[in-house]
Amino acid sequence: MYQFVTGPLAWLAFIIFFFGLVLRIVLYVRGLDWKLDRVTYSVNVSYGIKGAIRSIIFWIFPFGTRSMRKNPVFTVMVFVFHIGLLITPVFLLAHNVILEEKWGISFWTLPETVSDILTIAVIVSALFLILRRIALPEVRIITNAYDYLLMVISTAPFITGFLAYHQVSGYEFWLILHILSAEVMLVAIPFTKLSHMVLFFLSRGQLGMDYGIKRGGMKGYNLSW
Amino acid sequence: MAEGTLCNRKMINTREALLELLADKSGKLYYEEMNQLDVQTNALAETIRATCKSRIRTWLEICTHCGLCAESCFFYLANNNDPKQVPSYKIQSTLGEIVKRKGNVDNAFMQMTMDTAWAKCTCCNRCGMYCPMGIDMGVMFGYLRGLCFSQGFVPWEMKIGSGMHRIFRAQMDVTVEDWVETCDWMREEWEDDYPGLEIPVDKKGADIIYTVNAREAKHYPEDIAEAAVLFHLAGENWTVPSEGWELTSLAMFAGDWEACKMQVETVYDAMYRLNPKQMVATECGHAYRATVLEGPYWAGLKTGKPPVDSIHYVEWVADALRTGKLKIDPDKKIKEPVTYQDSCNYIRSGGLSDAAREIMSYIAEDFREMTPNREHNFCCGGGGGLNGIGRYRQERNAGLKVKRDQILASGAKLVVSPCHNCWDAIRDLEEVYEDGIRWSFLKPLLLKMVIVPEHLKPAESEAT
């Protein structure tokens, strides 16, 4: 079982993840239409690029925008969640040991206490985001089962990984479940809302180009996000 | 395929059809007929397939349902944080459903969609600035209006407006003759006070071609005279076109993209014909957006720009004050606290907030900003055509509360409002809430405080 989930299944998951995301990017860009979107993407290019970069940069740093400053707790939780989600798996010691064994490469690694804290942070912030969905009427009305499912998909690898690492009873079981849940997440990313992993940048970039080209950017005005 | 005699999918292309529609007071019969109007689901599906591309599809798909857009929407705030006013909810439950169901929706659904697209969104685009994913729901509502229009589910006044553009190339029944006569009349009325005043029509190669909102020609002709006087005092070499003088686009509010194209092309034709250096657009927000920002795309101009450099009136005024073409009498500056209504269409969507501040620095001694301001300012409450739709008067009036609170909090009772929609909304706001708020375009204010050069003064005042 372990051989299978870490062998062919893992390859398959990574391939789907990678090519799926590439496909999403290609389809998105190909579906842009200067006339329908009313943005001259390929004419006023320098203004477009400037607008796109501004739009991404201001939103990628905590409190870079008015929207984030107005919602400080949410902002902190969302950034903790995403930082944990991205940093932990890549720089986890155990993952890099496996990489080293298999391919002879490894990244810089996090001290294990830090990755443990990050894992707990992901779980806690996820819990906060779920409770927020239930508590706030303006979020509740737009929340559906799909949103909770995505929360489960993206936090399951952390919960199972945490349990496996701490060697609770049934280590083998949690380990396999951890690997499987991570593979489910990888496969889910291109096909679900989790595709915002790349579409965030494209969508933000697009709106940035809109502002950078049509909505004031060419007047030399830098929109304050 | 049930269609009404008034409420249908046909375009208003003749005066007879327009008059018939106008004769149906408040659209009574029109809305009754709407209850019987079939939805052509196949046509709707085809339109979506052809025009709903990756940008909008991605927006609909990746909305993470975080709710950050809620507080960005003045309708949400004005309606006591009603969750049904959350922008994400409004668009997902309308456009989102139509796309998901591939156009397979019924009459009741389309009426609900129409009520949402015109009475719960003014396309102010503020939510797009608050969404982490860069989802601009105002843009999507604009698109949705187009879908509604194509199926005949459009408020009565919007159908009339689009018909006006199709027939008169103006949002009102003002013909080229009416327009030119109005210009002549205004010159005659005002030239005694301002000797040498001209309103040159169709002058070729002028520095400025000046274009207006049809309301000015029809209901507020003194606005044209004031513009003429200010150009005259500033020594500008300017003209107005006989055809292509109207900048507004109720067709844009209606979602009638074909009429949008017809309208802007008359203006662009005037530019080609008269070859001016620059176009100056009157004090209107959506007109600037329609003709200067969106128009080039409707007309298929690949540069994304109108044929000649086009600026909003606030840019001209800021420049005239900066360069001294217009000089303000320091004693006549506005003494009382005064605030400025940032119009969504040329401030948020046009990036002109600096010009507005620059003007205020020349004409006001006690300028008070609203909070929030500039591109973060709230819609006046009447944008996107909402001011003019009788069916949604209650919704409009409820939405005005946010603007009212903003104005009162600024401590100013005078609001400079160089946008016809904002101007109307603030006037109506005062009518509803009676706070003693006053509102004004820039032109009448400037005229009161500008220094008239000696050589342009009337003869008798020279003698005294």
Side-chain angles (χ1 to χ4, degrees), chain A residues 104-131:
Chain A
I105 57 157
S106 77
F107 300 107
W108 168 84
T109 57
L110 287 166
E112 292 196 284
T113 340
V114 175
S115 46
D116 232 21
I117 292 169
L118 280 173
T119 304
I120 294 167
V122 167
I123 296 165
V124 169
S125 54
L127 211 60
F128 167 83
L129 293 173
I130 289 170
L131 291 175

Side-chain angles (χ1 to χ4, degrees), chain B residues 229-236 316 320 325-326 453 456:
Chain B
V229 169
L230 290 167
F231 282 140
H232 174 66
L233 298 180
E236 296 284 18
W316 180 78
K325 280 190 219 169
L326 289 178
L456 296 177

Side-chain angles (χ1 to χ4, degrees), chain B residues 8 85 154 216 353:
Chain B
N8 50 45
Q85 291 282 2
V154 55
E216 293 165 7
S353 62

Side-chain angles (χ1 to χ4, degrees), chain B residues 15-35:
Chain B
R15 289 192 191 211
E16 295 70 40
L18 184 65
L19 287 174
E20 209 187 329
L21 193 58
L22 280 165
D24 176 30
K25 217 138 177 39
S26 314
K28 204 166 166 292
L29 177 63
Y30 178 87
Y31 287 120
E32 274 171 29
E33 286 183 0
M34 190 178 282
N35 294 325

Side-chain angles (χ1 to χ4, degrees), chain A residues 24 28 31 38 40 43-44 66-67 132-133 142 147 193 200 203-204 206 214-215 218-219 221 224, chain B residues 53-54 61 63-66 130-134 136 294 297 302-303 305 315 349 353 375-376:
Chain A
R24 290 304 303 251
Y28 181 86
R38 297 191 217 134
T40 49
V43 178
N44 304 298
R66 190 167 191 271
S67 187
R132 179 177 175 275
R133 286 201 178 283
I142 45 181
D147 295 314
K193 235 171 247 215
F200 164 85
S203 177
R204 280 241 63 86
Q206 192 282 330
K214 184 173 72 177
R215 300 196 228 175
M218 285 166 68
K219 292 274 185 187
Y221 192 75
S224 114
Chain B
K53 298 289 181 84
S54 65
E61 184 191 341
C63 169
T64 57
H65 298 160
C66 71
Y130 288 76
C131 170
M133 295 288 156
D136 194 325
E294 315 286 1
Y297 297 91
K302 291 207 162 91
T303 55
K305 294 176 192 162
E315 294 180 272
S349 286
S353 62
E375 57 267 36
H376 287 277

Side-chain angles (χ1 to χ4, degrees), chain A residues 24 27-28 31-40 43-44 59 66-67 71 74 132-133 137-139 141-142 144 147 192-193 195-196 199-200 203-204 206-207 210-211 214-216 218-219 221 223-225, chain B residues 53-55 58-59 61 63-66 68 76 83 86 88-89 125-126 128-134 136 139 257 288 293-294 297-298 301-305 310 315 348-351 353-354 372 374-376:
Chain A
R24 290 304 303 251
L27 288 178
Y28 181 86
L32 292 177
D33 184 312
W34 74 273
K35 242 176 137 176
L36 287 174
D37 302 347
R38 297 191 217 134
V39 182
T40 49
V43 178
N44 304 298
W59 281 93
R66 190 167 191 271
S67 187
N71 296 276
F74 176 74
R132 179 177 175 275
R133 286 201 178 283
E138 74 269 27
V139 192
I141 193 169
I142 45 181
N144 50 30
D147 295 314
T192 63
K193 235 171 247 215
S195 56
H196 77 257
L199 291 175
F200 164 85
S203 177
R204 280 241 63 86
Q206 192 282 330
L207 191 65
D210 192 329
Y211 273 103
K214 184 173 72 177
R215 300 196 228 175
M218 285 166 68
K219 292 274 185 187
Y221 192 75
L223 180 86
S224 114
W225 281 106
Chain B
K53 298 289 181 84
S54 65
R55 177 179 64 160
T58 303
W59 278 346
E61 184 191 341
C63 169
T64 57
H65 298 160
C66 71
L68 285 197
Y76 173 81
V86 174
S88 168
Y89 174 79
N125 300 94
R126 192 168 188 267
M129 294 189 62
Y130 288 76
C131 170
M133 295 288 156
D136 194 325
V139 168
W257 310 128
Y288 175 81
L293 306 179
E294 315 286 1
Y297 297 91
W298 297 325
L301 303 181
K302 291 207 162 91
T303 55
K305 294 176 192 162
S310 299
E315 294 180 272
R348 178 157 35 254
S349 286
S353 62
D354 286 341
R374 295 180 179 246
E375 57 267 36
H376 287 277

Side-chain angles (χ1 to χ4, degrees), chain A:
Chain A
M1 189 67 180
Y2 180 78
Q3 291 302 326
F4 177 67
V5 296
T6 55
L9 211 54
W11 274 107
L12 191 67
F14 274 108
I15 286 168
I16 293 174
F17 165 74
F18 181 75
F19 286 101
L21 282 185
V22 170
L23 187 68
R24 290 304 303 251
I25 295 170
V26 170
L27 288 178
Y28 181 86
V29 174
R30 277 184 49 184
L32 292 177
D33 184 312
W34 74 273
K35 242 176 137 176
L36 287 174
D37 302 347
R38 297 191 217 134
V39 182
T40 49
Y41 300 113
S42 55
V43 178
N44 304 298
V45 181
S46 61
Y47 290 99
I49 290 173
K50 188 185 169 201
I53 290 173
R54 289 187 85 254
S55 170
I56 292 166
I57 295 282
F58 279 98
W59 281 93
I60 213 165
F61 290 104
F63 304 105
T65 66
R66 190 167 191 271
S67 187
M68 289 195 257
R69 290 191 290 274
K70 286 196 73 178
N71 296 276
V73 181
F74 176 74
T75 300
V76 168
M77 288 299 182
V78 164
F79 273 91
V80 166
F81 180 70
H82 282 87
I83 289 168
L85 213 58
L86 292 169
I87 300 282
T88 321
V90 178
F91 300 110
L92 189 83
L93 180 64
H95 288 177
N96 281 281
V97 168
I98 298 170
L99 271 184
E100 179 80 47
E101 277 172 9
K102 289 208 165 182
W103 296 342
I105 57 157
S106 77
F107 300 107
W108 168 84
T109 57
L110 287 166
E112 292 196 284
T113 340
V114 175
S115 46
D116 232 21
I117 292 169
L118 280 173
T119 304
I120 294 167
V122 167
I123 296 165
V124 169
S125 54
L127 211 60
F128 167 83
L129 293 173
I130 289 170
L131 291 175
R132 179 177 175 275
R133 286 201 178 283
I134 299 164
L136 301 183
E138 74 269 27
V139 192
R140 193 161 61 227
I141 193 169
I142 45 181
T143 296
N144 50 30
Y146 182 34
D147 295 314
Y148 292 116
L149 176 69
L150 291 178
M151 222 31 158
V152 171
I153 289 175
S154 43
T155 47
F158 289 82
I159 297 167
T160 50
F162 186 78
L163 293 174
Y165 172 74
H166 288 280
Q167 313 263 337
V168 292
S169 60
Y171 168 73
E172 189 89 349
F173 169 78
W174 288 117
L175 182 67
I176 302 256
L177 208 59
H178 169 65
I179 297 163
L180 276 174
S181 63
E183 287 163 355
V184 167
M185 178 166 84
L186 285 174
V187 172
I189 287 173
F191 300 108
T192 63
K193 235 171 247 215
L194 298 179
S195 56
H196 77 257
M197 184 176 176
V198 291
L199 291 175
F200 164 85
F201 295 94
L202 296 174
S203 177
R204 280 241 63 86
Q206 192 282 330
L207 191 65
M209 289 180 99
D210 192 329
Y211 273 103
I213 292 170
K214 184 173 72 177
R215 300 196 228 175
M218 285 166 68
K219 292 274 185 187
Y221 192 75
N222 285 324
L223 180 86
S224 114
W225 281 106

